[in-house]
Amino acid sequence: IDTLLKQREYHQVTELLSTHGIAHVTYKGVYLAENFYPSGNLRICGDIDILVGKEEAPKAIRLLQSNQYHLNQLHTSYWSHNDYSLLDDLPEVSLFKPFFGKGNQFDIDLHWSIVCFNKHYKSFSLSDFQAHPDFFAELQVVLLVTHHGLTDLWQRIFYINDLYFLLKDKTIDWAWLLQKLQLYGLEKTFLVGLHWCQQIWDLPLPPFVQALLNASDVRSMASAYEKNWEMSHSMKGSSLVVNQLMYFTKAQTQLSQLVKIYFTFFTSRVFRASTFRFGEHLLYIPQELGLITVFIRATRSIYNFLLFNSSHPEANLTKEPSK
């Protein structure tokens, strides 16, 4: 019932955007359930993820607000400051629409930029799809690897299912896809996902892709990622950020990519807007003053990281055993 309601809302929202001339692309969750799974009911659906052009994002937000959607408290702080701060500081906003009484709501993540690792490293936009209309499926795979593999470390089995059904019986330009993934340092992260697609689903692959998959370093990485499934809770916050950096750097073979990863990791945490909670209120500090928040955010991140690891000792399973 939950999936059916979200699919109905998904259709209404995409029709609303189209009617008002707002170009968009949907991906993940509800989109995959409806277009790639044998039955939409087989896929748990959460947020409705929609990618629009940056210049049309304010129009899309106001349109959704006029149709009973509300920005969450955090993004309201940015939106209240001005449109520029919202578009420059954030890659997306979250909106919700209550239905059927208290506690039930539809959620939309409206993106104008899909961040790969951090916004200084790489961001995907609607123009990527518009520039390569013949590679729509391949770009959907890139976004899936960026989110499920890089950002969320393949922590859930249904992430593998998403990748499998996105590829199953599809005409994929494997050379183009692998070249694009390699360009962003995502090739090994993708191959790890493919490894499990074969282990769980027996996904057939072209011989040259299979040869890449059989490499010992790919299998070693897959074993390291697999330990995340043994944790009782998904990694979040600072612990997730540290592990994202660790796994991403281990997946690189080029020194230039490593330098870029480390450089953007640290610079993206300096000049940026921030919000701090005081009781029930959020204090917004714009990007221009972001430097003064560095030490506060660093202290908070270290505290949250230590707190998570002390509360969830199984998180240490992601580390390699000492020899």
Side-chain angles (χ1 to χ4, degrees):
I1 292 174
D2 180 74
T3 298
L4 289 172
L5 288 171
K6 288 176 179 175
Q7 286 177 343
R8 178 176 179 272
E9 184 67 16
Y10 158 72
H11 283 294
Q12 291 181 338
V13 168
T14 54
E15 183 179 353
L16 178 69
L17 293 173
S18 298
T19 300
H20 286 80
I22 300 177
H24 60 279
V25 166
T26 55
Y27 73 109
K28 289 196 318 179
V30 178
Y31 168 76
L32 292 175
E34 179 160 307
N35 293 283
F36 294 92
Y37 275 71
S39 170
N41 298 327
L42 295 176
R43 172 60 159 85
I44 298 171
C45 297
D47 304 331
I48 300 172
D49 288 277
I50 303 174
L51 175 64
V52 299
K54 186 175 182 178
E55 67 284 352
E56 291 196 301
K59 178 183 175 181
I61 292 171
R62 293 187 179 97
L63 177 62
L64 290 169
Q65 287 178 321
S66 68
N67 282 266
Q68 302 178 325
Y69 275 92
H70 309 274
L71 287 169
N72 65 24
Q73 186 183 17
L74 172 64
H75 295 151
T76 297
S77 301
Y78 286 83
W79 180 249
S80 300
H81 191 65
N82 57 54
D83 288 1
Y84 171 81
S85 293
L86 182 81
L87 298 175
D88 192 57
D89 295 338
L90 298 176
E92 64 183 272
V93 291
S94 296
L95 301 106
F96 66 94
K97 175 183 177 181
F99 73 98
F100 290 162
K102 186 176 180 180
N104 299 308
Q105 63 185 42
F106 296 116
D107 296 284
I108 292 178
D109 280 348
L110 185 73
H111 306 255
W112 48 93
S113 177
I114 298 175
V115 174
C116 176
F117 191 55
N118 62 64
K119 69 177 183 179
H120 299 295
Y121 182 80
K122 170 62 184 175
S123 294
F124 300 100
S125 64
L126 185 65
S127 62
D128 288 298
F129 284 89
Q130 294 170 333
H132 302 285
D134 295 332
F135 298 100
F136 186 88
E138 288 82 357
L139 286 169
Q140 285 280 352
V141 174
V142 173
L143 295 187
L144 207 64
V145 174
T146 297
H147 183 270
H148 288 354
L150 176 57
T151 302
D152 280 338
L153 306 178
W154 298 119
Q155 288 184 90
R156 290 288 177 263
I157 300 296
F158 71 82
Y159 293 160
I160 309 303
N161 295 343
D162 283 353
L163 182 60
Y164 169 73
F165 286 115
L166 187 53
L167 294 171
K168 181 178 181 290
D169 299 329
K170 305 299 186 300
T171 301
I172 299 292
D173 189 326
W174 287 95
W176 189 93
L177 174 59
L178 288 170
Q179 182 181 30
K180 185 68 71 172
L181 289 164
Q182 190 174 41
L183 179 64
Y184 308 132
L186 294 170
E187 184 183 23
K188 282 190 179 179
T189 305
F190 171 60
L191 292 174
V192 165
L194 280 187
H195 168 82
W196 291 320
C197 284
Q198 282 202 328
Q199 295 297 307
I200 299 172
W201 293 103
D202 294 324
L203 177 68
L205 295 170
F208 81 97
V209 179
Q210 187 65 56
L212 295 173
L213 208 61
N214 292 337
S216 59
D217 57 341
V218 172
R219 295 181 180 276
S220 176
M221 282 192 64
S223 297
Y225 275 98
E226 190 174 346
K227 292 183 173 64
N228 295 329
W229 300 345
E230 300 172 18
M231 296 168 57
S232 59
H233 296 82
S234 295
M235 283 180 285
K236 295 181 180 179
S238 301
S239 183
L240 178 60
V241 170
V242 170
N243 279 276
Q244 286 169 349
L245 176 64
M246 180 187 73
Y247 282 110
F248 199 28
T249 53
K250 286 185 176 181
Q252 305 309 312
T253 56
Q254 299 180 21
L255 179 60
S256 59
Q257 288 283 21
L258 278 174
V259 172
K260 185 177 181 180
I261 289 170
Y262 281 117
F263 179 75
T264 59
F265 178 81
F266 291 109
T267 56
S268 66
R269 281 157 174 76
V270 179
F271 295 101
R272 54 178 283 192
S274 298
T275 56
F276 296 101
R277 183 173 293 280
F278 290 91
E280 296 182 356
H281 302 282
L282 283 176
L283 173 64
Y284 172 79
I285 300 177
Q287 181 175 340
E288 295 77 9
L289 301 176
L291 185 60
I292 68 174
T293 70
V294 171
F295 299 106
I296 300 175
R297 284 188 281 108
T299 302
R300 184 176 60 185
S301 295
I302 292 172
Y303 171 78
N304 290 336
F305 175 71
L306 295 175
L307 183 65
F308 177 87
N309 282 279
S310 63
S311 302
H312 304 94
E314 68 272 26
N316 293 321
L317 289 170
T318 60
K319 301 177 181 178
E320 292 183 354
S322 58
K323 296 181 181 178

